[in-house]
Amino acid sequence: MPHLANLARAIPDKPAAIFPDSGTILSFRALDDAANQIAHGLVALGLTPGQGIALLLENTPEFLMLTYGAKRAGLMVTPLSIHLRPHEVAHVLRDSGAVALCAEAGLSSLVGALDLENLPHRVSLGGAIPGFAPLHSLMEGRPTTWPEGERPIGREFLYSSGTTGLPKGIRRPLIPFADRHKPEFDMSWKGFYGFDANTVYLSPAPLYHAAPNRYVQRTIDGGGTAVITRKFDAASCLALIEKYRVTHSQWVPTMFVRLLALPDTVRNAFDLSSHRCAIHAAAPCPIPVKQAMLDWWGPIIREYYAGSEGIGVCFIDSETWLRKPGSVGRPAYGAVHILDEEGRALPPGEVGRIWFEGGARFAYHNDPEKTAAAYNDQGWATLHDLGWLDAEGFLFLSDRRADLILSGGVNIYPAEIEAVLGLHPAVAEAAVIGVPDTELGERPHALVVLRSVEANAALADAIIAHCRAHLGSLKIPVAVDFLEALPRSEAGKLLRRVLKERFR
């Protein structure tokens, strides 16, 4: 984007991105030059503004180079999770209309399971893939200047994580050439998090997810430096905070759990004094987990609630969260409403569907029915999450509508039971699903990951007794099963459907 082009002239040798696993450092000038070469190469292939390129890559320097370059060529960029199944990748390629695919050679088994006959342009990196041209052939001999002509600027064409079905695409219009110097992303976040040109941002999550993708680009476009790991490792992240004097970072609750599981000798071995803002989102964070992180890192944790759809966002800082434990804050713009299934407003404290008023409009690509279901007759939009507001307008999340347990005609919210389970000293993580019951229709069933204790029937009984002391009778799990780990997406979202398939 033009912000990178300007920075490449102003601070050419400053690191824009550091990849510790490979030791690669991309300066602003190197990233800008590579982006221009890739843009010229894509234009030479005959790709036109509005067409799409898909990226099937891990966290590599080429991911950033291709993203910036493709957008300069006016293309829509669709990052693909490397953990999608072949039919899910095929769906996104088909649904997005991508005409080009860049894949990493290490993922050749996934690529080999795809039918790419109708995909005219294929590029590989990190080795050869049959039928793919190497990335360097796209770049060699290409100019390091901005592509000629007033081409509109491309955008990310992101797909949801597919936790409740096939991934859904959110496509936004190209940016007119005349607006190329305007920020692509909403800038309200800068004040809340304190991002500036001195920011060193640690990104331990996959770049093919919306949040790490956008925040890395925000860091670079603001003149800061992004430190990008190939995969998450708890102890390594602490070492990187010390080594690179990281100021900002972003996490999901599962990462917090793994950080807290480190021995005290490891947790206390690193200087984290530069770290002033730890952002988290993507999934509800159990209250005990967040409290433990605050006890360790201090009041530097900032939480937000939002979606790739961009309909609204809530923020909460550490001090406010300590006063409102479990809340995701108040909206940064617009308003939040809680409505019942008939569309009637609910009073504070009552759980209903969360609706945002005043946010940007969006559409699910090629799915008018899902788009229509996301809006009500007042033009408010929903992510289909459930929650409630307190008397001061702070939002608390419950669950997704699809995860609701209906037992004896009563709505039961798994998150409420999971929060109680998380208070048991033996429980590291917990998930609750509804299982069939001949009398009540459904009953809650608990899936638990333990701390360093042995699973046995007596402990299962003790956990149920703990729930009985804190919950109404219908909310008490009918059984407890112990798992080594809960199935989660790389973004940390619980894959409840996987548990339902296994235990129902």
Side-chain angles (χ1 to χ4, degrees), residues 108-332:
S108 57
S109 59
L110 175 56
V111 175
L114 302 173
D115 180 3
L116 302 177
E117 184 178 347
N118 296 322
L119 197 72
H121 305 292
R122 307 166 208 166
V123 178
S124 70
L125 62 93
I129 302 178
F132 282 64
L135 178 62
H136 66 79
S137 68
L138 193 69
M139 301 174 63
E140 281 179 345
R142 306 293 182 189
T144 57
T145 54
W146 194 269
E148 297 178 0
E150 297 188 355
R151 300 173 72 91
I153 308 301
R155 288 189 180 217
E156 272 80 15
F157 182 5
L158 300 175
Y159 275 71
S160 69
S161 55
T163 54
T164 57
L166 285 172
K168 301 181 292 290
I170 300 103
R171 181 179 176 121
R172 305 194 185 283
L174 297 172
I175 300 171
F177 182 76
D179 294 338
R180 65 194 182 281
H181 294 298
K182 295 180 180 179
E184 177 184 1
F185 304 105
D186 168 54
M187 302 303 285
S188 63
W189 56 276
K190 291 184 70 173
F192 184 72
Y193 299 127
F195 276 66
D196 57 27
N198 297 315
T199 293
V200 180
Y201 173 72
L202 176 63
S203 183
L207 293 177
Y208 43 75
H209 283 302
N213 187 305
R214 288 170 172 165
Y215 275 79
V216 162
Q217 290 185 66
R218 285 166 167 167
T219 299
I220 293 172
D221 289 348
T225 299
V227 179
I228 303 166
T229 65
R230 196 170 181 92
K231 296 184 185 298
F232 169 73
D233 178 82
S236 295
C237 284
L238 298 179
L240 293 173
I241 292 173
E242 177 182 84
K243 179 176 180 177
Y244 293 105
R245 309 307 295 154
V246 166
T247 61
H248 292 67
S249 60
Q250 186 158 180
W251 316 84
V252 297
T254 304
M255 295 176 179
F256 283 166
V257 170
R258 293 178 185 174
L259 285 162
L260 290 167
L262 292 171
D264 288 344
T265 52
V266 177
R267 286 172 52 179
N268 298 326
F270 302 100
D271 176 7
L272 309 182
S273 59
S274 63
H275 196 201
R276 64 175 189 263
C277 180
I279 305 163
H280 81 92
C285 186
I287 290 176
V289 171
K290 186 161 180 177
Q291 183 64 63
M293 289 301 302
L294 286 166
D295 292 341
W296 177 14
W297 283 358
I300 68 168
I301 298 176
R302 304 283 191 272
E303 182 174 1
Y304 70 90
Y305 166 65
S308 302
E309 291 83 349
I311 60 173
V313 59
C314 293
F315 291 122
I316 193 166
D317 58 24
S318 295
E319 293 81 2
T320 308
W321 187 90
L322 288 168
R323 187 167 62 87
K324 301 278 188 179
S327 175
V328 293
R330 290 191 279 202

